[in-house]
Amino acid sequence: MDTWKKVAIGAAAVVVVVGGTRAAGLWGGSGSSNNKNLSFQLPTPIQTLDISKNTDTYSGTIIGNSGANLMRVDKKGDAQPELAKSVKHSKDGLTYTVVLKDNLKWSDGSKLTAKDFVYSWQRIVDPKTASQYAYLASGVKNADKIAGGKGDVDTLGVTAKGNTITFNLERPLPQFEYLLTFSNFMPQKESFVNKEGKKYATTAATSLYSGPYKVEGWNGTNNKFKLVKNDNYWDAKNVKTKQVDVQVVQKPDTAVQLYKQGKIDRVSIANTPELYNANKNNKDVVKAPEATAAYLQYNQTGKNKFLSNAKIREALNLATNRKELTNQVTSGISTAATGLAPEGLAKTTSGEDLAKYVAPGYKFDATAAKKAFEEGLKELGETKATFTITSDADSPAAKSTLDYLQGSWEKALPGLKINQKFVPFSQRIKDSQSQNFDIVVSLWGGDYPEGSTYYDIFKSGASNNNGQFKNEAYNTAVKEAESTNALNPSARDKNYKDAEAALLKDNNFNPLYFRSGYSLQNPDVSGIILNTTGLNQDWKSAVKK
């Protein structure tokens, strides 16, 4: 999922946040600490409640807590049956058979059926939906054909008979059970979607809910709304909190002040070095695990001839001191990136962190960078170059990141001029998808704890390959991992290592850092499940003393 911002299924590592040392009411104030409602903050407005169209973390957080899927990630990070009574698969991994629980209901009291899941899977691959996440269904029978406009949605390998859903796959998908937890594959009621038409999921009132809570008071643009307990949820008896108040607070220091006044129950302090250093010794600090990578994408469509030149891209990568950047931008909270797949995402068959195993050898070498830049300019018949780097206006780390890159690159590469461009998060997403950039800062959080959640991003023609480069060695390695070696974990690990090496050889992107997070949390609050991938905060079991 896209993030400064999205980070977002599954969990490579999960923490259930419990307790702390702050005495109740220590910070005073008249906010949530004086009642049993939970109060949480989002750093940017949510974009949509449309299950099929969402791609950002924070919309995903609200969708994930107001919706339910066939399975849900538990506190150990395992996918467990939720709306499903049972989930079974064939020995060859090509058929999954799911039986639903009895008497499931939507938030309006209507019956929730197996057909609602079939419709949701069909809707996400339907080209008319234009979902950026259609590729996640790749591997399900005919999904690619349908998404490519070459097949009817009725031919998708997801069918229902009575209370049973059958998934027919074209190839084994090691991550499939985690897809059954993912918010973009939650059920949708076709008659409701059709009734609402273009208004569907653009407000709380034009949405329908299958999960622990239902959204109230969101009109599509406002920054304060609430999640209220869904009494028609199958496990409502174990949802102990009746209301979760949500507000968008875009300034991190303001959010921290609201926390200290008792008006917010959880807030990040990892947004800037200053904020972290000022609060890191607070007894309410908790680690917020993530599997999120920050990186630069280069527009390689030809719009900027310099970035179509391999030597120029090599120069930019060699001129990037990732350790120094990470220390300056995150105060050392995060880790300098070693490749595309971040730490904490998954482990190899030998138990090694996948990120460490696949690391292809990115390095900082100012002398080699200058030489490559001069060679690239000579190939193009130029003596200087100008780039604009785009990032999020509403991200505290964005300004310091661009300041560092501008200063260090211009110093290392004589003849280079860097311009900075800041746009709102939602606009940055649109600009990325339409290639309206030279270089763009991107963050991606894993959707499930397996390498393909990252390596699918940069396949040729992939919807999130915003630089639109084509790397055949990379494509071959990822294809082998997802087909020939889908059921051979050690061979799949080697494919991912080859894919990383191919990205480095062509300098198709520039990894910056693997994000880590710390938050302040009210010690009276317990039961929040934090996932490194997928739904980053699961509030189903959250409760306040």
Side-chain angles (χ1 to χ4, degrees), residues 19 52 154 165 167 217 226 239 320 352 366 447 449 468 471 481 500:
S52 301
D154 291 337
I165 307 165
F167 296 88
K226 58 187 177 181
V239 180
T320 305
E352 185 178 14
D447 296 317
Q468 293 196 351
N471 184 323
E500 290 270 9

Side-chain angles (χ1 to χ4, degrees), residues 44-46 217-219 221-225 246-250:
T44 191
I46 66 173
W218 184 62
N219 65 14
T221 59
N222 58 317
N223 289 338
K224 284 189 178 182
F225 54 92
V246 180
Q247 60 179 308
V248 176
V249 183
Q250 294 180 294

Side-chain angles (χ1 to χ4, degrees), residues 91-106:
K91 185 175 292 187
D92 61 7
L94 296 179
T95 305
Y96 280 75
T97 304
V98 181
V99 179
L100 290 183
K101 288 181 169 68
D102 296 326
N103 302 316
L104 296 175
K105 294 181 180 180
W106 287 101

Side-chain angles (χ1 to χ4, degrees), residues 96-404:
Y96 280 75
T97 304
V98 181
V99 179
L100 290 183
K101 288 181 169 68
D102 296 326
N103 302 316
L104 296 175
K105 294 181 180 180
W106 287 101
S107 55
D108 64 357
S110 60
K111 190 174 182 180
L112 194 160
T113 71
K115 291 182 179 179
D116 297 328
F117 286 93
V118 174
Y119 171 68
S120 196
W121 279 78
Q122 290 180 347
R123 185 170 182 261
I124 200 170
V125 300
D126 189 338
K128 294 178 182 177
T129 306
S131 172
Q132 291 290 312
Y133 259 152
Y135 73 87
L136 279 182
S138 180
V140 175
K141 184 179 178 181
N142 294 325
D144 291 335
K145 289 182 180 179
I146 297 166
K150 298 179 181 179
D152 189 88
V153 294
D154 291 337
T155 65
L156 184 68
V158 184
T159 56
K161 185 176 181 180
N163 226 25
T164 300
I165 307 165
T166 302
F167 296 88
N168 293 305
L169 310 185
E170 296 172 337
R171 53 185 168 83
L173 298 174
Q175 73 275 22
F176 193 72
E177 285 196 356
Y178 283 98
L179 293 184
L180 300 184
T181 75
F182 196 37
S183 61
N184 291 71
F185 293 116
M186 288 175 172
Q188 295 175 81
K189 188 174 180 178
E190 184 174 9
S191 60
F192 184 87
V193 176
N194 290 337
K195 183 188 75 170
E196 296 298 337
K198 293 183 179 180
K199 294 181 179 180
Y200 171 64
T202 58
T203 67
T206 57
S207 304
L208 200 59
Y209 309 98
S210 58
Y213 301 98
K214 51 187 180 180
V215 183
E216 291 186 358
W218 184 62
N219 65 14
T221 59
N222 58 317
N223 289 338
K224 284 189 178 182
F225 54 92
K226 58 187 177 181
L227 276 64
V228 298
K229 182 177 177 179
N230 176 11
D231 291 330
N232 285 313
Y233 176 56
W234 76 275
D235 197 28
K237 67 174 185 271
N238 288 316
V239 180
K240 304 301 183 183
T241 297
K242 292 185 177 181
Q243 181 172 311
V244 179
D245 297 316
V246 180
Q247 60 179 308
V248 176
V249 183
Q250 294 180 294
K251 292 184 177 180
D253 52 346
T254 300
V256 169
Q257 289 304 312
L258 290 172
Y259 174 83
K260 293 180 178 181
Q261 294 167 11
K263 295 178 180 178
I264 296 177
D265 288 315
R266 180 181 173 85
V267 64
S268 173
I269 58 169
N271 306 92
T272 65
E274 295 78 13
L275 195 64
Y276 172 74
N277 289 327
N279 292 277
K280 64 182 180 181
N281 295 321
N282 190 307
K283 293 181 180 180
D284 291 0
V285 170
V286 293
K287 184 79 184 287
E290 290 190 33
T292 300
Y295 51 88
L296 298 177
Q297 295 191 74
Y298 301 131
N299 189 331
Q300 292 162 67
T301 64
K303 287 184 178 180
N304 186 307
K305 68 177 182 179
F306 297 100
L307 292 171
S308 294
N309 183 279
K311 282 292 184 180
I312 298 293
R313 297 194 306 271
E314 179 185 7
L316 296 176
N317 282 14
L318 287 169
T320 305
N321 187 331
R322 295 169 186 83
K323 184 175 181 180
E324 187 175 82
L325 180 150
T326 302
N327 286 336
Q328 289 195 20
V329 172
T330 76
S331 193
I333 301 171
S334 297
T335 305
T338 55
L340 175 57
E343 296 174 338
L345 175 69
K347 292 188 179 297
T348 66
T349 51
S350 66
E352 185 178 14
D353 191 288
L354 181 66
K356 183 177 180 181
Y357 172 75
V358 301
Y362 285 91
K363 62 181 180 180
F364 167 64
D365 187 331
T367 300
K370 182 180 178 181
K371 180 181 178 183
F373 190 64
E374 290 172 348
E375 291 174 352
L377 289 176
K378 185 176 181 180
E379 289 177 2
L380 295 170
E382 300 285 353
T383 58
K384 56 185 178 180
T386 299
F387 302 127
T388 297
I389 308 180
T390 300
S391 194
D392 295 7
D394 42 6
S395 168
K399 178 61 176 171
S400 56
T401 299
L402 267 57
D403 283 346
Y404 177 83

